[in-house]
Amino acid sequence: QAKALGKNGLRFFDPSMQAALESRTALESDLRQAIGAGQFVLHYQLQVSALGDPIGAEVLLRWQHPRRGLVSPMDFIPMAEETGLILPIGLWVFETACLQIKKWSAIPARAGLQLAVNVSARQFRQASFVDDIKNILARTGANPVLLKLELTESVVLEEVDTVIEKMHALKEIGVCFSLDDFGTGYSSLSYLQRLPLNQLKIDRSFVHNLPKDKSNATIVRTIINLGESLGLNVIAEGVETPEQRDFLLRSGCQAYQGYYFCKPIAINEFEELLDA
Ligand code: C2E
Ligand code: MG
Ligand code: MG
Ligand code: MG
C-alpha cells in the first residue's frame, strides 16, 4: 500500500504494488486498443422454454487477448467501467447482437430468437443511451422485439424517474427488459411494480443447490410467484442439473439457461446447435 507522504512530497510504493500497477496499466492500454484490433467476440448461451425449445440466447462478451488468451468479463468489465471504455465496448456488443438478429430474420427457423444483452450501470446512465440503442436498431434493421436488455438491480436503483423514463422510451418501440441476478439486490416490491419489466432472472446463487437447500427452494418459489403476480416472465440462470431443472419446472418457471442445456459458445457452434 502507499506509504505516507515523504519529506519532498513523493509517495513511496512497495515493489509488489509497483508490479501490480504496471500490469494493470498494461492491461488498460491493451483494453484501449482491443476494439480496433478486433479482439472482442460474443459467446451465445442458449435460453429454452419449459418445453425445452430454444427461445434465444444471452450474449456474453469475451476478450481474445493476444498473450493472455480468452479473458473473462469478470476480469476486464470493472476496469472498462472505471475507465469509461465500457461505453464503446458496450456499443460494439449491441451492434454485433443487432446484426445477428437481422441475419437470423431471413431464416424462418431462427427468425424468432431473442438476444439478451447485458447493460452496465455506466452505459445505462449515459444521457445518450436511448438514442444510441435506437440508432443501432435503425442502422442494423434488427427487430426491437427480439432485443432484450438485462439490467441489474444496482442499475435500476439509481435515479428512479430517469431509469423508468429510459425504459419506457425503449419499451415503446418494442425492446424488452429483464432484471438480471434477481434476488441479490435490494429492490422493494413497490419499486419493482413501477419498472416496465418483462422478465425476472433468478440469480444462479439461488439455483445452485436446489432442491436440497430449503431456504433457496423457498426463495425460488417466491420469485416465481412474484413474477406471476406482477405479470412478468421468469427465467432461471445457472441451471446445471436435471434435478434443478425439474424443481424449477414443478415450481412454474417459464424459461431456463445454464450448463445443463449449453455453455456459452461461439456463433458458429451456436448455429450448429440450432441445426441439430
Ligand atoms: P451474468 O449476466 O449474470 O451472466 C451469467 C454468467 O453465468 C456468465 O458468466 C455465464 O457464463 C455464467 N453461467 C451460465 N450458465 C452457468 C451455469 O450453469 N453455471 C455457472 N456456474 N455459471 C453459468 P460470464 O460469461 O463470465 O459473464 C460474467 C458477467 O459479466 C455477466 O454476468 C455480466 O454481468 C458480465 N458481462 C458479460 N458480458 C457482458 C457485456 O457484454 N456487457 C456487460 N456490461 N457485462 C457483461
Ligand atoms: Mg446477464
Ligand atoms: Mg445473470
Ligand atoms: Mg449472475
Side-chain angles (χ1 to χ4, degrees), residues 29-41 62-66 89 92:
S29 72
D30 288 352
L31 190 60
R32 222 166 263 289
Q33 52 77 57
I35 293 189
Q39 290 168 356
F40 287 117
V41 287
R62 301 288 180 262
W63 180 13
Q64 184 67 66
H65 191 282
I89 295 172
W92 179 87

Side-chain angles (χ1 to χ4, degrees), residues 28-74:
E28 192 182 312
S29 72
D30 288 352
L31 190 60
R32 222 166 263 289
Q33 52 77 57
I35 293 189
Q39 290 168 356
F40 287 117
V41 287
L42 293 183
H43 278 186
Y44 293 71
Q45 189 177 29
L46 184 68
Q47 297 184 339
V48 301
S49 70
L51 296 171
D53 296 324
I55 50 179
E58 176 175 8
V59 302
L60 294 158
L61 186 60
R62 301 288 180 262
W63 180 13
Q64 184 67 66
H65 191 282
R67 290 178 316 279
R68 296 174 199 241
L70 214 56
V71 186
S72 150
M74 312 284 230

Side-chain angles (χ1 to χ4, degrees), residues 205-245:
S205 61
F206 302 120
V207 174
H208 183 64
N209 33 21
L210 289 180
K212 259 210 247 95
D213 186 319
K214 295 301 164 216
S215 127
N216 275 355
T218 304
I219 291 172
V220 163
R221 273 193 297 253
T222 305
I223 296 176
I224 294 169
N225 292 337
L226 178 65
E228 212 163 282
S229 316
L230 294 172
L232 302 175
N233 174 279
V234 176
I235 186 167
E237 69 173 14
V239 182
E240 294 182 350
T241 68
E243 291 76 23
Q244 293 167 351
R245 195 266 323 263

